[in-house]
Amino acid sequence: MYDDASYYAFVPSAYASEEKTAPIKHRRKTSLLAQPNEGAQANGSLIGGTTAAHGHEEESQGQPKATLSRRAQSYTDFHHAVRAVLRTELTSEGHDIKKADQIKDDVEFSEWYESIEDDLLEASHIDYGQAFLSRCIVYQDQLKFTESYLRSLSSTTSATLDILSSLSQSFEAVEAQTTAFQKQCEDLVVEQDRVTRLADDIGENLQYYSYLEPITRRLNAPGAGNFVRGREFSDMLARLDECLAYMTSHPLQREAATYRSRYRLLLTRGLTLIRVHFVGALRDIAQDVSRRIADRQLNETTMSALLYAKFRVGASELKETAQEIQKRAIIPEVAEPGAGAEYQSLMNELYTSYSATRGRLVIPLVVKKIADIAQAPSTSKDLVAFARNSIGYIKGVCTDEHELWLEWFEREDGLYDFLESVCEPLYDHLRPRIIHENQLLKLCELCTLLQTRYMRDQDEELEMVDLNQLDFSTLIQSALEDAQTRLVFRTQAILRDEIENYKPKPEDLDYPTRNKQVTLPGSKHNGQITSGRKGSVAKTSTPKDPVIVEESDSPSARYGFDVEATFQGWYPTLRKAIWLLSRIYRLVNSAVFDDLAHEIVHQTTLSLHRASILIASRSMTTDAQLFLLKHLLLLKQQIVAFDIEYVTPDVSFDFSGMTNTFYELRDRGGLFDPRNLWRFVGGGLLPRVVENMLDAKVELDGRLRTIINDFTTSTAERMTHPINEKARGKKTFDATISLQKTQELTAKEVPLLRHKLDEYLDDMRTKETLIGAVQNQVVMNYESFYEWFAAGKRATGAKVGKKGKGREDDVWDADTFGDWAEEVFGIRGMGMIGMNGGQSRSQSGSGNASGSVSRDSSI
């Protein structure tokens, strides 16, 4: 059979005979530098391509397409290839291939193939020789053609590279020129922008200088005042503001200062034209209204239409015009401290002109109306009625004027000055009436009227206040201050005449005959018995509100109880003090009320003290002490409701001693002697510091403690005088007999003490506390006696008896006497609570004295 080399050389011819050559199109070949490795594959391509090119040399002048022989990949491929070759050769030689087509299997094929093997071998040798020779010739021609083509391609490539190199050099030159040109253009654009901005800046700066001449001609032209109403006038003023702001912000420009002064003159000229126009329009309206009022008698409705409706017609236009001045009436940012607004004077002229014009129309009507109210029968003699009617009328006028003012102006700078002038006729009538009013009740009613109806509450939140509403309290404040001043003056006069300088009548000091059960409104019986007397009931009296004691109160008129029966037992100065405090409470300033209240309480306390001294001279000391104690307790209970604040002591310097020392040294003739000066340094050359205690509550508490201590001490002294220090000093003193007398006196005085307390006091707690204080003082006196007695016994060597031991007729020890005293005094539960626990009876006298003061202060 055939070897591989012969078969592989044979196969291409078989395929070449059947292959149909496709039309070859010219396309650019791949660069030699981009071709694959120069191996057998490249050589094969070149060979195939040369053959194809030779076969079609006449059809195309381009390089023919290279082909590559296909190698059999398997036996099946070889089988098919052989059959195809044989079929071709047999057909060309005219052999019958019917038998070959009828072969069914490999055995038949082998037999058939052996029969034609020699013919095929011979035919293949002939064809192979011819084909090989033709192929070599074709391949040689193809190589020559390829060589010539490659040389032409190489020369063309070299020429192309030269062209590209020259083009690259030209492009670099053009690029350099373009870059240089671009940079020049950019520099020109930057310069153009700079010049444009410079031109714009010059134009913008020059425009602020170019406004001067046309605005000057406009403002100085005849009839410039008619130009005020136009929109162009506001624009012109705004332009002047811009020019002034520019000149101020560029002070280094050459003509900035000159133009700034000229522009300021022009602005002043323009604003002055506004003022002239405003005042002229206002004058025309006022003259029209005055002429109509003078022509005929008008009722109040027509008068109101003329006074207010006529002024509202052109108010909005004039308000916009006046705002041009208002916008410029501000303080400059660079102004010195304390400097005023630059054009505020022009605005004030508008306020003044408006106020004067309205005042000429309104004030005469107000004067006439107030005079009519003052002469009316219902208000001619009644201060409160006159104030109510006149102030109500003035408030209506002020409200209308306030609304009209806001239609003419944006702000309220000069409004209240004008309204105060409108209120002057009211004060001309009201102030003299207040000054000549002597009735304290009328002054109180007037203050109440002003505070409740017209004054704004100080505790009211700012968010609730409408800033566009009239603050009438500002206008009526002076009237309230006048009424309060007169009220304080009358209070001080009553305090001086009826409390401080009060001369008591004999019936005022008739105690205990005049004594009554004194209770306060709202007291209720608690049903607790305070003494052995049948029907004695304690009453609680701790008022929560001030009790107003009317001089003209009728029974059950105001409080539902008999006022005369309730307060007839009060000392007149105490009654007057509570009446004064209740009247001025919340009607005057809190600081003023505190000063007055402290002075009233102080003078009342002194008055009660003087009365107790007079009662003591006329009656028993116990009555005087209980009188003072009762009224001080009533005063303390009453002032709780008035919230009197603590007042610091009034410190002053007293130079009287210094002047007295000076005159003494001068009379002695040693004024300039240093020894005399040093001698009297501590005796009067230095001023003396004086503290005036103005806190009346502290003074009242101090006097209460003093009177309670005096009462308990004197009462206990009456019970224990048989064993006091004076009695013990006598030679005939017998301890046992004195003790028996003390027990008898104590048992006798306790019911009398309770009876006295029932006559003066109502509160069971107070009475039981006082009885407990007396009991403690009695025990303290006995402890002092017993210590003296025990000391004497020890000095003689005798034994001192102990508690629970000794004879019945012997001297008791302190504890035994204390137990006996508790049974005799019989203090009830509430009294023991008021004693705050008390102190031990074994304490020293000084310590117990302080303890009694502490207990008494709880009353």
Side-chain angles (χ1 to χ4, degrees), residues 3-18:
D3 56 358
D4 292 340
S6 61
Y7 179 76
Y8 289 135
F10 173 75
V11 171
S13 62
Y15 284 104
S17 62
E18 296 179 356

Side-chain angles (χ1 to χ4, degrees), residues 382-522:
D382 190 349
L383 173 63
V384 179
F386 170 77
R388 183 181 296 107
N389 294 338
S390 59
I391 295 176
Y393 169 74
I394 288 295
K395 183 179 181 181
V397 174
C398 291
T399 303
D400 295 338
E401 292 298 327
H402 175 262
E403 294 176 357
L404 185 61
W405 180 283
L406 294 181
E407 293 186 11
W408 280 76
F409 302 103
E410 185 69 23
R411 299 172 61 180
E412 300 179 355
D413 292 343
L415 171 62
Y416 287 94
D417 294 335
F418 164 62
L419 295 181
E420 287 179 0
S421 65
V422 174
C423 295
E424 284 299 327
L426 170 65
Y427 291 122
D428 292 341
H429 288 78
L430 184 60
R431 188 172 287 115
R433 288 172 176 256
I434 294 175
I435 294 174
H436 292 90
E437 182 61 56
N438 292 324
Q439 296 185 21
L440 189 68
L441 295 179
K442 292 294 183 182
L443 295 173
C444 293
E445 291 180 10
L446 178 59
C447 291
T448 303
L449 173 68
L450 296 178
Q451 287 181 344
T452 57
R453 182 171 297 184
Y454 302 111
M455 299 303 296
R456 179 178 293 176
D457 188 3
Q458 298 296 332
D459 299 333
E460 185 177 0
E461 297 182 0
L462 296 178
E463 292 79 2
M464 299 177 61
V465 178
D466 188 1
L467 299 179
N468 293 326
Q469 290 184 354
L470 174 66
D471 186 9
F472 189 68
S473 60
T474 304
L475 302 174
I476 208 65
Q477 180 68 32
S478 57
L480 177 61
E481 292 175 356
D482 293 340
Q484 290 175 338
T485 303
R486 181 62 180 173
L487 178 62
V488 172
F489 176 78
R490 289 301 305 157
T491 301
Q492 292 174 341
I494 294 174
L495 173 63
R496 181 184 64 251
D497 298 337
E498 302 186 26
I499 296 179
E500 183 178 359
N501 299 328
Y502 178 73
K503 303 298 181 182
K505 301 176 184 179
E507 57 269 19
D508 296 334
L509 305 175
D510 190 12
Y511 284 90
T513 304
R514 184 176 171 80
N515 186 49
K516 300 289 184 179
Q517 289 288 343
V518 182
T519 58
L520 293 177

Side-chain angles (χ1 to χ4, degrees), residues 599-652:
E599 184 65 22
I600 291 173
V601 173
H602 173 69
Q603 294 299 334
T604 304
T605 304
L606 294 179
S607 174
L608 294 174
H609 184 70
R610 290 193 297 268
S612 68
I613 295 175
L614 295 176
I615 293 174
S617 63
R618 295 165 57 94
S619 182
M620 297 175 59
T621 305
T622 304
D623 291 319
Q625 292 173 344
L626 290 176
F627 163 82
L628 182 58
L629 177 61
K630 176 186 69 172
H631 284 82
L632 291 180
L633 287 175
L634 288 172
L635 181 59
K636 181 178 177 63
Q637 291 172 353
Q638 283 291 291
I639 65 175
V640 170
F642 296 107
D643 300 329
I644 303 176
E645 298 293 338
Y646 173 76
V647 178
T648 56
D650 184 14
V651 180
S652 61

Side-chain angles (χ1 to χ4, degrees), residues 71 320 453 495 682 715:
R71 181 180 178 179
E320 294 179 0
R453 182 171 297 184
L495 173 63
T715 305

Side-chain angles (χ1 to χ4, degrees), residues 116-160:
I116 64 171
E117 181 180 5
D118 295 336
D119 295 336
L120 289 175
L121 181 61
E122 184 179 0
S124 64
H125 285 171
I126 296 172
D127 291 340
Y128 178 78
Q130 294 178 352
F132 180 75
L133 180 62
S134 62
R135 286 180 181 277
C136 288
I137 295 171
V138 170
Y139 185 70
Q140 183 180 5
D141 294 339
Q142 188 175 9
L143 289 178
K144 291 180 181 180
F145 176 78
T146 301
E147 181 183 7
S148 63
Y149 174 76
L150 291 178
R151 287 182 179 180
S152 63
L153 181 62
S154 176
S155 62
T156 304
T157 302
S158 300
T160 302

